[in-house]
Amino acid sequence: MTMTDGQLPAVAASPQPGHLQTPPPPASVRAGLTTELLASIALTGFSIAVAAGYARVFTGWDFFGDLVVLTLSGHAFGFVARRLRLPGLVAVPLTAALMVWIIAAVHYRDSMSLLIPTGDTLELFRQEIEAVRQQFRTEVAPVSFEGGWDVLAAIGISLAVALSDAFAFRALARVEALVPGGALFIFIAALGTDRSRVALATALVFAGVVSMVALRAHHAPQRGAVIGAQSSPIKRIGPAALGTAAVVALAASCIGPRLPGADASPVYEIRGSGGGRVTNVISPLVDIRSRLTSRSNAEFFSVRADFASYWRLSALASFNGNEWGLPERSLTSADGELSTARAGTDELRQEITIAALGDKFVPTAPDPVAASPQKGLRWNADSSTLLKTDGKLIAGSIFEIVSASPRFDLRTLQTATSNDAGDAIYLELPDNFPLSVRELAREVTAVSTTPYEAAITLQDWFRSQFEYSLEVQPGHSNSAIEEFLSDRVGYCEQFAGTYAAMMRTLGVPARVAVGFTPGNFNGERYSVLGKNAHAWPELWFDGLGWVLFEPTPGRGAPGAEYYTNVAFDQDATGVDTGSFPDVSLEGAVPEIPVSPSTTTAGSVGTTPDDIPVSPSTVSQPVELTGAAAGTPKEKKTSFPTGRLIVLPLIGVAVAVPELTRRWRRHRASTDSDATIALLWRQSLSGLHDVGVHPAASLTPIECARHASVTLPVIARPLASLAAAVTEVSYAPSGAANQVAECRQWKRQIERAVKDSLSPLARVRRYFTRLS
């Protein structure tokens, strides 16, 4: 008797009992789509908890959105690749390529062409990684999520996601799948601050336990027989995973911080330490950008002073080609008099109240000559540095300091020499310092005949030919100097470091001072914010000492206008005076003097009335021409929402075929006989994809024998399914109890068909198969 496609025969031979017995498939086959999806979601949650751990090394939470997108994309693509049966040798590289593309699209999208990375993209990446490499040894958390640190974080989380997904679903691992993310979390914690450490660790433990339970349920063999209705994977996995995770995480969060030694000092401090020498303290220049950006509106300290000044933290004399830093010098106790005031200076008394400065450097006006005794306060005259060596500055700490504010005679400056600063370090440059920078310094100052003329000429060249912007990578190394001089855009770190290095090439002793501009004056005190962080160069003049110059556009030192020809200026955006503590010095600080030499008829921006401003020296806007007028390539750090929104849309498009097939199967599963017949037809349809086309005249058992010749691996499951469909054809409901086995045989056939296809054929089949 013959049959047509889709019809069942009236008579068929009884199936051989052996055809109904098949060996149990491997765990990866028995694991259903639901358990795999749950395990993927749980592992994604663990990776997100690892990403949240970056809060200990970055300021704010700007990093979190970018890293979550990478995490979701990596795990989602891994899931889709497994559904398409892509082999690991194909899926893992594709996942890595996707995440590299996302990193490029987020951080370097303006350098891409048609959303494809270019040579400029690779060069920007190289420059930022090099900058981070140079800063890694000295940078101290928290840092700003930019300037290469954002890319390094993205690379770290991408590697953790790719490895954990491969371990969990390719190597069938459980606990091992958590090792990459756990190692990254621990590394971050070792370098980071104590910010939210208990909460972040608790979240990681909770997500880790949930992931382990979900992976164990996914990889565990299914039971051969189940009495009664079998519960769904969600009901089986959910309570166990969430309950166990909650108990473990709660215990860890309560017991961990209370263990002996939890709050003790580390055996080995890897984040910088204080000591008896200046070199044991991280240079304040490395943190200047994060103060200017992410902490711009935070008040760091306030000053009650006789008049306005730049507030200096330290003066950096050592330049090794990678960074400006503090030389190795001994510290002395700051218990009163620090040094002798030079002639021609004005006494400046200050009361400095710390708010959120958070490091060891005490800000003072140049040049401190006396300080009120305080425990742990140390002084180094060579770098004009006051340090709190017994710990970081604490909010509410008050320091009373007297400085000898320099007032230089212009005529004396114009004729002064710059031969002996007392130490050769102020002229030292590394052997590999770029020759092009030396030549450029000589070219710009070619018409200058004295050190002062060279200093003013170079200062004015920077202010007129360069642009101030924070949208550049941090750094002041040899390569950073070359890039700065090429792009002609940067912020005070590049201006001060490059200026000082170029003056050294001309034989003028130079150093880089780091500190703050005066801040906002509220009538009583100067409120100094993060945005007031600043760096400026100081040059040595024989008989006069260290003299400040200001090459950074948009900045100008009070009290230096008459020799720099630069009016007082600072960042005055979004100024909010707020409220200030009513602190009285009880006569320690006299009334602010008003003298003809310091009186002004007006003010610029938020300039306090006591800051002298000469109308003739107010800077006018400069129109850039030539190379300076060009717009340099800048890295964009804002998140490309419009472009990356296509990712979830792609995910939906990929999921629709599978969801449609599952819906159809569910609709057809009400009748056991019809379900078995449908499974048979779907199996025959799948065989067409590998070139197996049984004749319509063949019975199911004959079809199975015919197909087994072409694809032997399906011989037993296809024969068993053929026997079952034959049985229900002649004995309705006779094989009703075999529906579960028939589904299992069909899945084995489906897997064998997919494994025999090329990756491209699998993709085509995934989107074209309707059942």
Side-chain angles (χ1 to χ4, degrees):
M1 178 176 290
T2 61
M3 60 175 287
T4 59
D5 187 25
Q7 295 180 332
L8 299 175
V11 179
S14 298
Q16 306 252 342
H19 288 171
L20 296 177
Q21 304 298 322
T22 59
S28 59
V29 175
R30 292 196 298 269
L33 174 64
T34 304
T35 57
E36 182 180 357
L37 181 60
L38 290 175
S40 296
I41 293 174
L43 194 60
T44 302
F46 177 77
S47 296
I48 291 176
V50 173
Y54 277 105
R56 297 184 64 176
V57 295
F58 290 125
T59 56
W61 286 88
D62 294 341
F63 68 91
F64 194 57
D66 289 7
L67 300 187
V68 167
V69 167
L70 278 170
T71 299
L72 295 176
S73 302
H75 285 296
F77 186 82
F79 179 80
V80 171
R82 292 191 299 276
R83 290 293 93 200
L84 296 176
R85 304 299 181 191
L86 297 181
L89 292 178
V90 175
V92 174
L94 284 179
T95 303
L98 171 68
M99 303 187 82
V100 168
W101 180 86
I102 293 176
I103 293 174
V106 171
H107 300 286
Y108 309 112
R109 65 182 183 274
D110 284 353
S111 68
M112 301 172 71
S113 176
L114 299 177
L115 295 181
I116 299 176
T118 64
D120 289 342
T121 307
L122 296 177
E123 178 60 21
L124 285 173
F125 172 79
R126 186 198 65 78
Q127 291 177 0
E128 291 208 322
I129 293 302
E130 175 63 20
V132 171
R133 186 190 67 79
Q134 294 175 0
Q135 299 172 40
F136 198 86
R137 184 175 60 85
T138 56
E139 190 68 271
V140 176
V143 298
S144 181
F145 185 65
E146 56 189 349
W149 296 102
D150 46 1
V151 177
L152 187 64
I155 293 173
I157 200 66
S158 297
L159 287 174
V161 168
L163 290 175
S164 64
D165 196 82
F167 288 169
F169 300 105
R170 301 286 177 179
L172 307 183
R174 296 171 178 82
V175 178
E176 295 87 344
L178 308 183
V179 171
L184 177 61
F185 186 89
I186 294 173
F187 180 74
I188 295 169
L191 298 178
T193 65
D194 290 337
R195 177 189 179 192
S196 305
R197 65 185 180 95
V198 175
L200 293 171
T202 301
L204 186 79
V205 171
F206 180 87
V209 174
V210 170
S211 298
M212 284 193 296
V213 175
L215 288 171
R216 186 170 294 277
H218 172 58
H219 295 315
Q222 293 182 349
R223 297 172 181 172
V226 178
I227 300 177
Q230 186 175 2
S231 62
S232 68
I234 296 179
K235 292 181 180 179
R236 288 186 284 110
I237 300 174
L242 297 179
T244 304
V247 171
V248 174
L250 182 62
S253 63
C254 294
I255 298 175
R258 291 171 172 79
L259 291 175
D263 294 324
S265 300
V267 175
Y268 178 70
E269 177 60 70
I270 64 174
R271 289 176 286 182
S273 60
R277 293 184 180 272
V278 179
T279 47
N280 288 332
V281 183
I282 299 301
S283 164
L285 191 57
V286 301
D287 192 36
I288 196 167
R289 187 177 184 184
S290 62
R291 291 173 173 174
L292 290 167
T293 54
S294 58
R295 292 177 282 173
S296 62
N297 291 317
E299 184 182 71
F300 278 25
F301 60 95
S302 62
V303 184
R304 183 179 179 187
D306 298 341
F307 48 87
S309 173
Y310 275 3
W311 316 114
R312 186 170 60 194
L313 297 175
S314 184
L316 312 178
S318 174
F319 181 60
N320 60 11
N322 291 323
E323 61 185 3
W324 285 90
L326 293 159
E328 185 172 343
R329 297 291 188 270
S330 299
L331 297 171
T332 59
S333 177
D335 55 357
E337 184 176 349
L338 305 177
S339 60
T340 303
R342 287 178 174 270
T345 60
D346 292 342
E347 183 179 88
L348 174 54
R349 303 170 68 95
Q350 312 136 69
E351 182 198 65
I352 300 165
T353 303
I354 303 299
L357 191 54
D359 54 23
K360 298 175 180 293
F361 294 88
V362 178
T364 71
D367 291 302
V369 293
S372 58
Q374 193 168 133
K375 180 182 177 181
L377 192 61
R378 297 291 183 268
W379 162 252
N380 176 258
D382 293 337
S383 59
S384 301
T385 302
L386 271 174
L387 284 170
K388 195 75 165 60
T389 57
D390 60 348
K392 293 186 176 181
L393 300 179
I394 301 174
S397 298
I398 297 177
F399 299 89
E400 296 180 8
I401 298 169
V402 179
S403 297
S405 183
R407 293 293 183 265
F408 302 109
D409 179 72
L410 179 57
R411 292 184 179 179
T412 304
L413 271 173
Q414 290 172 333
T415 58
T417 59
S418 298
N419 296 325
D420 185 12
D423 196 321
I425 194 173
Y426 297 110
L427 285 172
E428 289 178 357
L429 289 170
D431 294 337
N432 62 342
F433 190 76
L435 179 61
S436 60
V437 179
R438 298 177 183 269
E439 294 175 346
L440 181 60
R442 288 195 294 268
E443 178 184 341
V444 173
T445 62
V447 298
S448 303
T449 58
T450 67
Y452 172 76
E453 288 182 4
I456 287 295
T457 301
L458 189 60
Q459 170 193 278
D460 294 345
W461 180 72
F462 276 118
R463 295 183 66 88
S464 63
Q465 298 297 318
F466 285 66
E467 178 185 352
Y468 182 91
S469 173
L470 290 170
E471 296 298 323
V472 297
Q473 64 177 3
H476 44 275
S477 63
N478 286 345
S479 59
I481 289 175
E482 290 181 294
E483 183 178 357
F484 170 63
L485 291 173
S486 173
D487 294 344
R488 299 197 175 193
V489 60
Y491 59 99
C492 59
E493 178 181 352
Q494 289 83 34
F495 280 98
T498 304
Y499 180 97
M502 293 177 75
M503 289 304 297
R504 286 189 178 186
T505 68
L506 301 176
V508 177
R511 64 186 188 183
V512 175
V514 184
F516 297 83
T517 57
N520 184 50
F521 187 65
N522 70 341
E524 181 182 359
R525 306 179 70 86
Y526 297 92
S527 175
V528 185
L529 311 181
K531 70 175 65 176
N532 300 128
H534 190 43
W536 62 92
E538 295 180 345
L539 306 182
W540 175 265
F541 287 86
D542 298 331
L544 299 175
W546 292 103
V547 180
L548 169 154
F549 288 86
E550 189 52 273
T552 305
R555 302 296 183 268
E561 299 91 335
Y562 62 94
Y563 72 88
T564 61
N565 296 324
V566 176
F568 167 73
D569 200 0
Q570 65 177 349
D571 185 351
T573 58
V575 171
D576 182 7
T577 57
S579 59
F580 299 87
D582 185 13
V583 180
S584 174
L585 293 179
E586 298 181 355
V589 177
E591 293 294 324
I592 296 175
V594 178
S595 63
S597 63
T598 60
T599 303
T600 179
S603 61
V604 178
T606 59
T607 307
D609 290 340
D610 59 296
I611 298 178
V613 177
S614 172
S616 63
T617 61
V618 176
S619 299
Q620 299 297 324
V622 178
E623 182 178 354
L624 300 181
T625 60
T631 301
K633 294 175 182 174
E634 297 182 6
K635 172 188 164 183
K636 302 296 183 182
T637 57
S638 59
F639 192 75
T641 306
R643 295 182 182 179
L644 291 185
I645 198 173
V646 72
L647 291 175
L649 296 179
I650 294 175
V652 171
V654 170
V656 165
E658 180 65 21
L659 294 175
T660 302
R661 288 188 286 269
R662 291 177 64 84
W663 178 77
R664 289 186 173 186
R665 294 167 192 165
H666 176 75
R667 296 262 302 177
S669 63
T670 56
D671 181 75
S672 58
D673 292 353
T675 299
I676 294 175
L678 175 63
L679 293 173
W680 173 254
R681 290 195 299 272
Q682 290 173 345
S683 298
L684 288 181
S685 176
L687 292 174
H688 293 168
D689 295 331
V690 291
V692 177
H693 304 281
S697 60
L698 299 179
T699 66
I701 293 178
E702 291 172 339
C703 288
R705 291 171 181 169
H706 173 74
S708 299
V709 174
T710 304
L711 200 63
V713 71
I714 66 170
R716 299 189 69 178
L718 188 60
S720 299
L721 184 57
V725 76
T726 301
E727 184 175 350
V728 300
S729 299
Y730 299 105
S733 302
N737 61 343
Q738 296 185 35
V739 172
E741 284 111 333
C742 289
R743 291 186 186 279
Q744 188 69 8
W745 295 326
K746 192 261 180 183
R747 283 196 291 268
Q748 294 180 53
I749 297 169
E750 179 75 12
R751 168 165 294 226
V753 169
K754 288 181 179 179
D755 289 344
S756 65
L757 295 174
S758 66
L760 182 60
R762 294 180 193 177
V763 174
R764 182 174 61 251
R765 184 175 187 270
Y766 178 85
F767 287 101
T768 57
R769 187 168 54 90
L770 300 179
S771 60

